[in-house]
Amino acid sequence: MIPTQTLSRFIHAQRRRYPDSTGELSDLLVSISLGVKLISQMVATAGFKGLHGYTGETNVHGDEVKVLDEEADEVLVELLGSSGHFGLLVSEERDSVISTDATHNEGKYVLAFDPLDGSSNIGSSIPTGTIFCIFRKKDESRSAINDDFCQPGTNIVAAGYSVYGAKTSFVYSTGSGVHGFTLDPSIGEFVLTDHDIKVPERGTIYSVNEGNTAFWDERVKEYVESLKRHDATAKGPYTGRYVGSLVADFDRTLRKGGVFLYPVDAKRPLGRLRLLYECMPLAFIMEQAGGAAINGPDRVSELVPSDIHQRSALITGSPHEVNAYRSIVHGSTR
Ligand code: AHM
Ligand code: MG
């Protein structure tokens, strides 16, 4: 079969629906997809190139940096920084906002990304991924400034992620549905495999690091216990699944429904995940697919980061499970 719906053709076809569009965002998305193809290849060949180790550095979050973290970061910074479309970039791996000579005065957009999410799993053949989101500058007539990242997720122009697993996938949204592509290695192209993904209204899977139970609030424990009851679903208790790679746990939750949660706890009072380049893009995708994403009391998409590396809790998935969390843990149904 001839793959007529490749990612780049799909992106350009979507753009033609908006006659005034300049094509800049489409070019950006195509550049990002090239970046993730390169990273996918790096991840697949890292084992025999001896690239599974650590650099000896520690990043801004206190994590030991893997060689692949650094390489994935460099691929995206070089590729996207020279695209001429981004004023500024934020990467999980860099302490401060990245300004590239080529783009600083140009470009309507700013981009935040986690180049290699879940990289602590890399030596174990567990999926990893890339997450990104794009904002328009608050004022297009001036150069991008750090404050352009301090916008709520409701202002996201496009967001997406890739998973490097049994297949390499690319899932993205520009605010009109969520579309999923799979890399066909024989032609080096992403091909449309999942048009307009919708999360089920409720599911049968929950995903959480239960090793943290001792640090949870009693009401979080109560919620998770409620998922394990015999009558929790029509088929019995929920099934537990936790990969420990956010992109992989999220991708499953998006497709099958249920809930992924990383709540605040006594050890991580602000949460474990990063707001700007993990929680906000994934919240945008989940909401576009008809699901929900909260940090506990509030909708993630309405939060405004005050720091580019700010942490957040994330509870996301089917409306039914996220509403039950809100109700049990926060006593509200909103
Ligand atoms: P990372 O971006 O440094 O890889 O950290 C985020 C990862 C997520 O992929 C994953 O969901 C979470 O951290 C796992 O945390 P934990 O090991 O505490 O369960
Ligand atoms: Mg991450």
Side-chain angles (χ1 to χ4, degrees):
M1 196 176 74
I2 296 176
T4 53
Q5 282 286 44
T6 62
L7 177 61
S8 50
R9 294 184 80 175
F10 185 86
I11 288 170
H12 289 299
Q14 294 265 315
R15 175 178 79 81
R16 284 194 287 275
R17 291 162 59 186
Y18 303 94
D20 295 339
S21 110
T22 59
E24 214 171 320
L25 185 62
S26 305
D27 286 351
L28 284 180
L29 289 166
V30 171
S31 292
I32 292 171
S33 75
L34 173 59
V36 304
K37 279 192 239 177
L38 293 169
I39 296 171
S40 164
Q41 190 57 23
M42 277 166 34
V43 168
T45 55
F48 53 78
K49 289 184 183 160
L51 297 177
H52 277 166
Y54 293 91
T55 62
E57 308 281 312
T58 304
N59 69 13
V60 62
H61 312 282
D63 302 328
E64 289 181 282
V65 178
K66 290 256 185 183
V67 174
L68 271 181
D69 281 323
E70 205 166 78
E71 301 236 332
D73 170 79
E74 273 165 23
V75 164
L76 291 182
V77 171
E78 273 193 36
L79 204 57
L80 302 169
S82 61
S83 69
H85 297 308
F86 288 115
L88 291 172
L89 310 173
V90 159
S91 166
E92 176 182 335
E93 297 304 327
R94 312 248 180 158
D95 296 5
S96 23
V97 171
I98 309 153
S99 153
T100 68
D101 292 347
T103 63
H104 194 48
N105 290 310
E106 304 170 42
K108 292 196 259 196
Y109 300 103
V110 295
L111 167 77
F113 55 83
D114 179 354
L116 198 60
D117 179 62
S119 60
S120 60
N121 293 315
I122 199 85
S124 324
S125 304
I126 288 174
T128 51
T130 297
I131 312 172
F132 69 92
C133 65
I134 299 170
F135 289 96
R136 200 169 274 116
K137 289 187 302 199
K138 287 181 178 176
D139 176 355
E140 283 181 25
S141 65
R142 55 141 173 82
S143 303
I145 55 175
N146 293 12
D147 187 53
D148 288 324
F149 291 99
C150 303
Q151 302 193 51
T154 46
N155 287 359
I156 285 176
V157 173
Y161 65 89
S162 254
V163 185
Y164 313 118
K167 59 181 181 177
T168 295
S169 54
F170 185 86
V171 175
Y172 85 104
S173 176
T174 52
S176 48
V178 178
H179 310 294
F181 297 78
T182 303
L183 185 62
D184 179 344
S186 67
I187 54 170
E189 289 280 358
F190 281 106
V191 178
L192 181 67
T193 42
D194 306 275
H195 185 257
D196 201 15
I197 299 171
K198 291 291 174 209
V199 65
E201 162 59 29
R202 68 183 289 186
T204 56
I205 300 174
Y206 77 102
S207 185
V208 66
N209 182 347
E210 291 207 68
N212 294 330
T213 305
F215 305 113
W216 289 345
D217 182 274
E218 287 306 314
R219 287 162 300 177
V220 174
K221 289 184 194 167
E222 189 186 324
Y223 172 72
V224 174
E225 282 309 306
S226 77
L227 303 172
K228 299 185 208 169
R229 290 198 192 109
H230 269 304
D231 59 353
T233 75
K235 293 180 187 157
Y238 280 74
T239 293
R241 292 275 186 275
Y242 189 71
V243 177
S245 239
L246 175 62
V247 278
D249 284 314
F250 179 86
D251 190 67
R252 185 200 53 248
T253 307
L254 179 73
R255 293 167 194 273
K256 296 193 164 181
V259 64
F260 167 88
L261 59 152
Y262 211 123
V264 294
D265 62 34
K267 209 165 129 193
R268 305 162 198 82
L270 300 175
R272 159 84 166 89
L273 302 173
R274 269 52 59 114
L275 178 60
L276 178 60
Y277 41 80
E278 292 182 326
C279 301
M280 283 167 58
L282 297 182
F284 181 79
I285 298 273
M286 189 57 85
E287 290 188 350
Q288 279 291 318
I294 56 175
N295 68 350
D298 300 312
R299 186 179 161 211
V300 168
S301 295
E302 289 174 8
L303 304 174
V304 178
S306 52
D307 179 285
I308 55 171
H309 295 300
Q310 187 174 329
R311 303 250 181 197
S312 173
L314 177 66
I315 297 93
T316 187
S318 297
H320 176 85
E321 283 80 6
V322 175
N323 283 336
Y325 181 94
R326 205 185 256 128
S327 160
I328 293 174
V329 179
H330 298 282
S332 69
T333 47
R334 194 134 181 236

